[in-house]
PDB file of all heavy atoms in Angstrom:
ATOM      1  N   ARG A 113      -8.796  -0.521  -6.671  1.00 98.00           N
ATOM      2  CA  ARG A 113      -8.395  -0.406  -5.262  1.00 98.00           C
ATOM      3  C   ARG A 113      -7.092   0.387  -5.146  1.00 98.00           C
ATOM      4  O   ARG A 113      -6.940   1.222  -4.263  1.00 98.00           O
ATOM      5  CB  ARG A 113      -8.248  -1.786  -4.604  1.00 98.00           C
ATOM      6  CG  ARG A 113      -9.545  -2.352  -4.086  1.00 98.00           C
ATOM      7  CD  ARG A 113      -9.334  -3.511  -3.113  1.00 98.00           C
ATOM      8  NE  ARG A 113      -8.587  -4.616  -3.671  1.00 98.00           N
ATOM      9  CZ  ARG A 113      -9.125  -5.623  -4.341  1.00 98.00           C
ATOM     10  NH1 ARG A 113     -10.438  -5.686  -4.543  1.00 98.00           N
ATOM     11  NH2 ARG A 113      -8.362  -6.600  -4.808  1.00 98.00           N
ATOM     12  N   ASN A 114      -6.147   0.121  -6.064  1.00 98.00           N
ATOM     13  CA  ASN A 114      -4.895   0.874  -6.061  1.00 98.00           C
ATOM     14  C   ASN A 114      -5.149   2.364  -6.255  1.00 98.00           C
ATOM     15  O   ASN A 114      -4.581   3.205  -5.538  1.00 98.00           O
ATOM     16  CB  ASN A 114      -3.949   0.377  -7.159  1.00 98.00           C
ATOM     17  CG  ASN A 114      -3.438  -1.022  -6.926  1.00 98.00           C
ATOM     18  OD1 ASN A 114      -3.485  -1.544  -5.813  1.00 98.00           O
ATOM     19  ND2 ASN A 114      -2.965  -1.646  -7.995  1.00 98.00           N
ATOM     20  N   ASP A 115      -5.990   2.693  -7.220  1.00 97.00           N
ATOM     21  CA  ASP A 115      -6.315   4.102  -7.482  1.00 97.00           C
ATOM     22  C   ASP A 115      -6.986   4.750  -6.270  1.00 97.00           C
ATOM     23  O   ASP A 115      -6.675   5.889  -5.899  1.00 97.00           O
ATOM     24  CB  ASP A 115      -7.230   4.240  -8.703  1.00 97.00           C
ATOM     25  CG  ASP A 115      -6.541   3.876 -10.006  1.00 97.00           C
ATOM     26  OD1 ASP A 115      -5.287   3.799 -10.039  1.00 97.00           O
ATOM     27  OD2 ASP A 115      -7.264   3.662 -11.000  1.00 97.00           O
ATOM     28  N   MET A 116      -7.907   4.023  -5.656  1.00 98.00           N
ATOM     29  CA  MET A 116      -8.607   4.554  -4.489  1.00 98.00           C
ATOM     30  C   MET A 116      -7.663   4.730  -3.302  1.00 98.00           C
ATOM     31  O   MET A 116      -7.744   5.724  -2.576  1.00 98.00           O
ATOM     32  CB  MET A 116      -9.770   3.640  -4.106  1.00 98.00           C
ATOM     33  CG  MET A 116     -10.916   3.651  -5.098  1.00 98.00           C
ATOM     34  SD  MET A 116     -11.663   5.288  -5.253  1.00 98.00           S
ATOM     35  CE  MET A 116     -12.219   5.528  -3.579  1.00 98.00           C
ATOM     36  N   ALA A 117      -6.768   3.786  -3.103  1.00 98.00           N
ATOM     37  CA  ALA A 117      -5.807   3.906  -2.001  1.00 98.00           C
ATOM     38  C   ALA A 117      -4.910   5.126  -2.220  1.00 98.00           C
ATOM     39  O   ALA A 117      -4.632   5.868  -1.269  1.00 98.00           O
ATOM     40  CB  ALA A 117      -4.983   2.630  -1.883  1.00 98.00           C
ATOM     41  N   SER A 118      -4.482   5.351  -3.438  1.00 98.00           N
ATOM     42  CA  SER A 118      -3.676   6.543  -3.738  1.00 98.00           C
ATOM     43  C   SER A 118      -4.462   7.810  -3.449  1.00 98.00           C
ATOM     44  O   SER A 118      -3.938   8.759  -2.856  1.00 98.00           O
ATOM     45  CB  SER A 118      -3.227   6.532  -5.206  1.00 98.00           C
ATOM     46  OG  SER A 118      -2.319   5.483  -5.423  1.00 98.00           O
ATOM     47  N   TRP A 119      -5.726   7.846  -3.850  1.00 98.00           N
ATOM     48  CA  TRP A 119      -6.588   9.004  -3.582  1.00 98.00           C
ATOM     49  C   TRP A 119      -6.723   9.232  -2.081  1.00 98.00           C
ATOM     50  O   TRP A 119      -6.601  10.367  -1.607  1.00 98.00           O
ATOM     51  CB  TRP A 119      -7.955   8.777  -4.234  1.00 98.00           C
ATOM     52  CG  TRP A 119      -9.008   9.756  -3.854  1.00 98.00           C
ATOM     53  CD1 TRP A 119      -9.093  11.071  -4.256  1.00 98.00           C
ATOM     54  CD2 TRP A 119     -10.133   9.526  -3.020  1.00 98.00           C
ATOM     55  NE1 TRP A 119     -10.208  11.659  -3.704  1.00 98.00           N
ATOM     56  CE2 TRP A 119     -10.869  10.731  -2.948  1.00 98.00           C
ATOM     57  CE3 TRP A 119     -10.613   8.416  -2.331  1.00 98.00           C
ATOM     58  CZ2 TRP A 119     -12.054  10.848  -2.205  1.00 98.00           C
ATOM     59  CZ3 TRP A 119     -11.780   8.526  -1.608  1.00 98.00           C
ATOM     60  CH2 TRP A 119     -12.474   9.732  -1.548  1.00 98.00           C
ATOM     61  N   LEU A 120      -6.959   8.172  -1.330  1.00 98.00           N
ATOM     62  CA  LEU A 120      -7.105   8.301   0.115  1.00 98.00           C
ATOM     63  C   LEU A 120      -5.836   8.862   0.754  1.00 98.00           C
ATOM     64  O   LEU A 120      -5.886   9.827   1.517  1.00 98.00           O
ATOM     65  CB  LEU A 120      -7.452   6.946   0.738  1.00 98.00           C
ATOM     66  CG  LEU A 120      -8.860   6.439   0.486  1.00 98.00           C
ATOM     67  CD1 LEU A 120      -8.936   4.929   0.697  1.00 98.00           C
ATOM     68  CD2 LEU A 120      -9.860   7.159   1.374  1.00 98.00           C
ATOM     69  N   VAL A 121      -4.700   8.267   0.433  1.00 98.00           N
ATOM     70  CA  VAL A 121      -3.437   8.681   1.046  1.00 98.00           C
ATOM     71  C   VAL A 121      -3.081  10.110   0.623  1.00 98.00           C
ATOM     72  O   VAL A 121      -2.705  10.937   1.459  1.00 98.00           O
ATOM     73  CB  VAL A 121      -2.321   7.678   0.710  1.00 98.00           C
ATOM     74  CG1 VAL A 121      -0.958   8.191   1.152  1.00 98.00           C
ATOM     75  CG2 VAL A 121      -2.623   6.322   1.344  1.00 98.00           C
ATOM     76  N   GLN A 122      -3.224  10.424  -0.649  1.00 97.00           N
ATOM     77  CA  GLN A 122      -2.879  11.763  -1.133  1.00 97.00           C
ATOM     78  C   GLN A 122      -3.797  12.841  -0.570  1.00 97.00           C
ATOM     79  O   GLN A 122      -3.382  13.986  -0.403  1.00 97.00           O
ATOM     80  CB  GLN A 122      -2.891  11.796  -2.654  1.00 97.00           C
ATOM     81  CG  GLN A 122      -1.757  11.008  -3.265  1.00 97.00           C
ATOM     82  CD  GLN A 122      -1.872  10.866  -4.766  1.00 97.00           C
ATOM     83  OE1 GLN A 122      -2.724  11.467  -5.416  1.00 97.00           O
ATOM     84  NE2 GLN A 122      -1.003  10.044  -5.337  1.00 97.00           N
ATOM     85  N   SER A 123      -5.031  12.484  -0.251  1.00 97.00           N
ATOM     86  CA  SER A 123      -5.970  13.489   0.277  1.00 97.00           C
ATOM     87  C   SER A 123      -5.863  13.630   1.798  1.00 97.00           C
ATOM     88  O   SER A 123      -6.563  14.441   2.387  1.00 97.00           O
ATOM     89  CB  SER A 123      -7.407  13.162  -0.144  1.00 97.00           C
ATOM     90  OG  SER A 123      -7.829  11.937   0.427  1.00 97.00           O
ATOM     91  N   GLY A 124      -5.000  12.840   2.441  1.00 98.00           N
ATOM     92  CA  GLY A 124      -4.730  13.046   3.856  1.00 98.00           C
ATOM     93  C   GLY A 124      -5.242  11.992   4.810  1.00 98.00           C
ATOM     94  O   GLY A 124      -5.171  12.175   6.027  1.00 98.00           O
ATOM     95  N   CYS A 125      -5.751  10.876   4.308  1.00 98.00           N
ATOM     96  CA  CYS A 125      -6.226   9.816   5.197  1.00 98.00           C
ATOM     97  C   CYS A 125      -5.065   9.314   6.052  1.00 98.00           C
ATOM     98  O   CYS A 125      -4.039   8.902   5.527  1.00 98.00           O
ATOM     99  CB  CYS A 125      -6.816   8.669   4.385  1.00 98.00           C
ATOM    100  SG  CYS A 125      -7.334   7.266   5.390  1.00 98.00           S
ATOM    101  N   LEU A 126      -5.252   9.362   7.375  1.00 98.00           N
ATOM    102  CA  LEU A 126      -4.224   8.892   8.301  1.00 98.00           C
ATOM    103  C   LEU A 126      -4.695   7.719   9.149  1.00 98.00           C
ATOM    104  O   LEU A 126      -3.929   7.186   9.946  1.00 98.00           O
ATOM    105  CB  LEU A 126      -3.749  10.035   9.196  1.00 98.00           C
ATOM    106  CG  LEU A 126      -2.959  11.128   8.483  1.00 98.00           C
ATOM    107  CD1 LEU A 126      -2.608  12.244   9.453  1.00 98.00           C
ATOM    108  CD2 LEU A 126      -1.708  10.573   7.821  1.00 98.00           C
ATOM    109  N   TYR A 127      -5.958   7.358   9.004  1.00 98.00           N
ATOM    110  CA  TYR A 127      -6.469   6.150   9.664  1.00 98.00           C
ATOM    111  C   TYR A 127      -7.505   5.563   8.723  1.00 98.00           C
ATOM    112  O   TYR A 127      -8.474   6.230   8.366  1.00 98.00           O
ATOM    113  CB  TYR A 127      -7.109   6.471  11.015  1.00 98.00           C
ATOM    114  CG  TYR A 127      -7.082   5.279  11.960  1.00 98.00           C
ATOM    115  CD1 TYR A 127      -6.366   5.327  13.143  1.00 98.00           C
ATOM    116  CD2 TYR A 127      -7.758   4.099  11.652  1.00 98.00           C
ATOM    117  CE1 TYR A 127      -6.325   4.236  14.002  1.00 98.00           C
ATOM    118  CE2 TYR A 127      -7.710   3.007  12.500  1.00 98.00           C
ATOM    119  CZ  TYR A 127      -6.993   3.083  13.675  1.00 98.00           C
ATOM    120  OH  TYR A 127      -6.950   1.999  14.508  1.00 98.00           O
ATOM    121  N   PHE A 128      -7.291   4.320   8.301  1.00 98.00           N
ATOM    122  CA  PHE A 128      -8.161   3.673   7.329  1.00 98.00           C
ATOM    123  C   PHE A 128      -8.795   2.441   7.952  1.00 98.00           C
ATOM    124  O   PHE A 128      -8.094   1.543   8.419  1.00 98.00           O
ATOM    125  CB  PHE A 128      -7.359   3.276   6.085  1.00 98.00           C
ATOM    126  CG  PHE A 128      -8.169   2.565   5.048  1.00 98.00           C
ATOM    127  CD1 PHE A 128      -9.065   3.256   4.252  1.00 98.00           C
ATOM    128  CD2 PHE A 128      -8.051   1.193   4.862  1.00 98.00           C
ATOM    129  CE1 PHE A 128      -9.824   2.601   3.290  1.00 98.00           C
ATOM    130  CE2 PHE A 128      -8.793   0.526   3.914  1.00 98.00           C
ATOM    131  CZ  PHE A 128      -9.691   1.233   3.125  1.00 98.00           C
ATOM    132  N   ILE A 129     -10.117   2.404   7.959  1.00 98.00           N
ATOM    133  CA  ILE A 129     -10.899   1.306   8.528  1.00 98.00           C
ATOM    134  C   ILE A 129     -11.655   0.652   7.374  1.00 98.00           C
ATOM    135  O   ILE A 129     -12.444   1.314   6.696  1.00 98.00           O
ATOM    136  CB  ILE A 129     -11.881   1.841   9.577  1.00 98.00           C
ATOM    137  CG1 ILE A 129     -11.107   2.510  10.711  1.00 98.00           C
ATOM    138  CG2 ILE A 129     -12.805   0.745  10.089  1.00 98.00           C
ATOM    139  CD1 ILE A 129     -11.839   3.628  11.363  1.00 98.00           C
ATOM    140  N   ALA A 130     -11.410  -0.624   7.148  1.00 98.00           N
ATOM    141  CA  ALA A 130     -12.061  -1.330   6.044  1.00 98.00           C
ATOM    142  C   ALA A 130     -13.092  -2.301   6.585  1.00 98.00           C
ATOM    143  O   ALA A 130     -12.823  -3.056   7.521  1.00 98.00           O
ATOM    144  CB  ALA A 130     -11.017  -2.070   5.215  1.00 98.00           C
ATOM    145  N   TRP A 131     -14.268  -2.292   5.958  1.00 98.00           N
ATOM    146  CA  TRP A 131     -15.341  -3.210   6.321  1.00 98.00           C
ATOM    147  C   TRP A 131     -16.042  -3.650   5.043  1.00 98.00           C
ATOM    148  O   TRP A 131     -16.247  -2.876   4.117  1.00 98.00           O
ATOM    149  CB  TRP A 131     -16.356  -2.520   7.245  1.00 98.00           C
ATOM    150  CG  TRP A 131     -17.455  -3.448   7.675  1.00 98.00           C
ATOM    151  CD1 TRP A 131     -17.459  -4.253   8.767  1.00 98.00           C
ATOM    152  CD2 TRP A 131     -18.692  -3.679   7.005  1.00 98.00           C
ATOM    153  NE1 TRP A 131     -18.625  -4.979   8.815  1.00 98.00           N
ATOM    154  CE2 TRP A 131     -19.407  -4.646   7.748  1.00 98.00           C
ATOM    155  CE3 TRP A 131     -19.271  -3.177   5.843  1.00 98.00           C
ATOM    156  CZ2 TRP A 131     -20.652  -5.110   7.363  1.00 98.00           C
ATOM    157  CZ3 TRP A 131     -20.517  -3.642   5.451  1.00 98.00           C
ATOM    158  CH2 TRP A 131     -21.209  -4.590   6.228  1.00 98.00           C
ATOM    159  N   GLY A 132     -16.425  -4.916   4.988  1.00 98.00           N
ATOM    160  CA  GLY A 132     -17.232  -5.409   3.868  1.00 98.00           C
ATOM    161  C   GLY A 132     -16.432  -6.265   2.905  1.00 98.00           C
ATOM    162  O   GLY A 132     -15.440  -6.899   3.271  1.00 98.00           O
ATOM    163  N   THR A 133     -16.857  -6.265   1.671  1.00 97.00           N
ATOM    164  CA  THR A 133     -16.284  -7.095   0.619  1.00 97.00           C
ATOM    165  C   THR A 133     -14.794  -6.808   0.447  1.00 97.00           C
ATOM    166  O   THR A 133     -14.405  -5.658   0.255  1.00 97.00           O
ATOM    167  CB  THR A 133     -17.026  -6.845  -0.713  1.00 97.00           C
ATOM    168  OG1 THR A 133     -18.421  -7.068  -0.517  1.00 97.00           O
ATOM    169  CG2 THR A 133     -16.511  -7.763  -1.810  1.00 97.00           C
ATOM    170  N   ASP A 134     -13.997  -7.852   0.536  1.00 97.00           N
ATOM    171  CA  ASP A 134     -12.542  -7.759   0.339  1.00 97.00           C
ATOM    172  C   ASP A 134     -11.886  -6.742   1.272  1.00 97.00           C
ATOM    173  O   ASP A 134     -10.903  -6.097   0.905  1.00 97.00           O
ATOM    174  CB  ASP A 134     -12.203  -7.413  -1.116  1.00 97.00           C
ATOM    175  CG  ASP A 134     -12.583  -8.515  -2.090  1.00 97.00           C
ATOM    176  OD1 ASP A 134     -12.544  -9.702  -1.689  1.00 97.00           O
ATOM    177  OD2 ASP A 134     -12.921  -8.197  -3.246  1.00 97.00           O
ATOM    178  N   CYS A 135     -12.407  -6.631   2.501  1.00 97.00           N
ATOM    179  CA  CYS A 135     -11.863  -5.598   3.393  1.00 97.00           C
ATOM    180  C   CYS A 135     -10.388  -5.820   3.713  1.00 97.00           C
ATOM    181  O   CYS A 135      -9.642  -4.848   3.862  1.00 97.00           O
ATOM    182  CB  CYS A 135     -12.712  -5.426   4.641  1.00 97.00           C
ATOM    183  SG  CYS A 135     -12.771  -6.828   5.753  1.00 97.00           S
ATOM    184  N   GLU A 136      -9.945  -7.063   3.781  1.00 97.00           N
ATOM    185  CA  GLU A 136      -8.516  -7.291   4.033  1.00 97.00           C
ATOM    186  C   GLU A 136      -7.681  -6.830   2.838  1.00 97.00           C
ATOM    187  O   GLU A 136      -6.603  -6.250   3.010  1.00 97.00           O
ATOM    188  CB  GLU A 136      -8.243  -8.758   4.333  1.00 97.00           C
ATOM    189  CG  GLU A 136      -6.808  -9.008   4.744  1.00 97.00           C
ATOM    190  CD  GLU A 136      -6.535 -10.448   5.165  1.00 97.00           C
ATOM    191  OE1 GLU A 136      -7.465 -11.278   5.185  1.00 97.00           O
ATOM    192  OE2 GLU A 136      -5.367 -10.730   5.478  1.00 97.00           O
ATOM    193  N   ALA A 137      -8.180  -7.032   1.630  1.00 98.00           N
ATOM    194  CA  ALA A 137      -7.472  -6.563   0.433  1.00 98.00           C
ATOM    195  C   ALA A 137      -7.412  -5.036   0.410  1.00 98.00           C
ATOM    196  O   ALA A 137      -6.382  -4.454   0.042  1.00 98.00           O
ATOM    197  CB  ALA A 137      -8.146  -7.097  -0.828  1.00 98.00           C
ATOM    198  N   TRP A 138      -8.499  -4.382   0.810  1.00 98.00           N
ATOM    199  CA  TRP A 138      -8.485  -2.910   0.903  1.00 98.00           C
ATOM    200  C   TRP A 138      -7.415  -2.464   1.892  1.00 98.00           C
ATOM    201  O   TRP A 138      -6.628  -1.550   1.620  1.00 98.00           O
ATOM    202  CB  TRP A 138      -9.853  -2.389   1.333  1.00 98.00           C
ATOM    203  CG  TRP A 138     -10.842  -2.291   0.225  1.00 98.00           C
ATOM    204  CD1 TRP A 138     -11.867  -3.137  -0.038  1.00 98.00           C
ATOM    205  CD2 TRP A 138     -10.901  -1.280  -0.787  1.00 98.00           C
ATOM    206  NE1 TRP A 138     -12.565  -2.714  -1.145  1.00 98.00           N
ATOM    207  CE2 TRP A 138     -11.993  -1.576  -1.618  1.00 98.00           C
ATOM    208  CE3 TRP A 138     -10.135  -0.146  -1.059  1.00 98.00           C
ATOM    209  CZ2 TRP A 138     -12.333  -0.780  -2.706  1.00 98.00           C
ATOM    210  CZ3 TRP A 138     -10.471   0.647  -2.149  1.00 98.00           C
ATOM    211  CH2 TRP A 138     -11.558   0.317  -2.956  1.00 98.00           C
ATOM    212  N   HIS A 139      -7.401  -3.091   3.061  1.00 98.00           N
ATOM    213  CA  HIS A 139      -6.426  -2.783   4.100  1.00 98.00           C
ATOM    214  C   HIS A 139      -4.998  -2.926   3.562  1.00 98.00           C
ATOM    215  O   HIS A 139      -4.161  -2.023   3.706  1.00 98.00           O
ATOM    216  CB  HIS A 139      -6.676  -3.737   5.278  1.00 98.00           C
ATOM    217  CG  HIS A 139      -5.597  -3.818   6.278  1.00 98.00           C
ATOM    218  ND1 HIS A 139      -4.515  -4.669   6.133  1.00 98.00           N
ATOM    219  CD2 HIS A 139      -5.416  -3.177   7.447  1.00 98.00           C
ATOM    220  CE1 HIS A 139      -3.715  -4.535   7.178  1.00 98.00           C
ATOM    221  NE2 HIS A 139      -4.239  -3.643   7.990  1.00 98.00           N
ATOM    222  N   ASP A 140      -4.715  -4.063   2.937  1.00 98.00           N
ATOM    223  CA  ASP A 140      -3.382  -4.317   2.415  1.00 98.00           C
ATOM    224  C   ASP A 140      -2.999  -3.318   1.322  1.00 98.00           C
ATOM    225  O   ASP A 140      -1.846  -2.878   1.248  1.00 98.00           O
ATOM    226  CB  ASP A 140      -3.277  -5.739   1.862  1.00 98.00           C
ATOM    227  CG  ASP A 140      -3.385  -6.797   2.948  1.00 98.00           C
ATOM    228  OD1 ASP A 140      -3.292  -6.453   4.149  1.00 98.00           O
ATOM    229  OD2 ASP A 140      -3.575  -7.983   2.595  1.00 98.00           O
ATOM    230  N   THR A 141      -3.948  -2.950   0.492  1.00 98.00           N
ATOM    231  CA  THR A 141      -3.676  -2.015  -0.593  1.00 98.00           C
ATOM    232  C   THR A 141      -3.283  -0.646  -0.047  1.00 98.00           C
ATOM    233  O   THR A 141      -2.349  -0.011  -0.552  1.00 98.00           O
ATOM    234  CB  THR A 141      -4.890  -1.907  -1.533  1.00 98.00           C
ATOM    235  OG1 THR A 141      -5.182  -3.212  -2.063  1.00 98.00           O
ATOM    236  CG2 THR A 141      -4.631  -0.951  -2.685  1.00 98.00           C
ATOM    237  N   VAL A 142      -3.980  -0.185   0.975  1.00 98.00           N
ATOM    238  CA  VAL A 142      -3.605   1.100   1.585  1.00 98.00           C
ATOM    239  C   VAL A 142      -2.212   0.988   2.200  1.00 98.00           C
ATOM    240  O   VAL A 142      -1.370   1.885   2.032  1.00 98.00           O
ATOM    241  CB  VAL A 142      -4.665   1.562   2.610  1.00 98.00           C
ATOM    242  CG1 VAL A 142      -4.169   2.766   3.404  1.00 98.00           C
ATOM    243  CG2 VAL A 142      -5.974   1.906   1.898  1.00 98.00           C
TER     244      VAL A 142
END
């Protein structure tokens, strides 16, 4: 999740919507 959050932020993600398994953890990680 940490690696994916870094990839998302570095590639320009400016709005992140999490749904599904551990979605709150995904949100917090970003």
Side-chain angles (χ1 to χ4, degrees):
R113 276 196 302 272
N114 293 342
D115 292 344
M116 290 298 299
S118 293
W119 170 73
L120 287 160
V121 171
Q122 290 172 8
S123 64
C125 176
L126 291 177
Y127 205 116
F128 178 75
I129 299 149
W131 182 89
T133 305
D134 294 329
C135 65
E136 186 175 358
W138 279 103
H139 165 274
D140 293 347
T141 301
V142 171

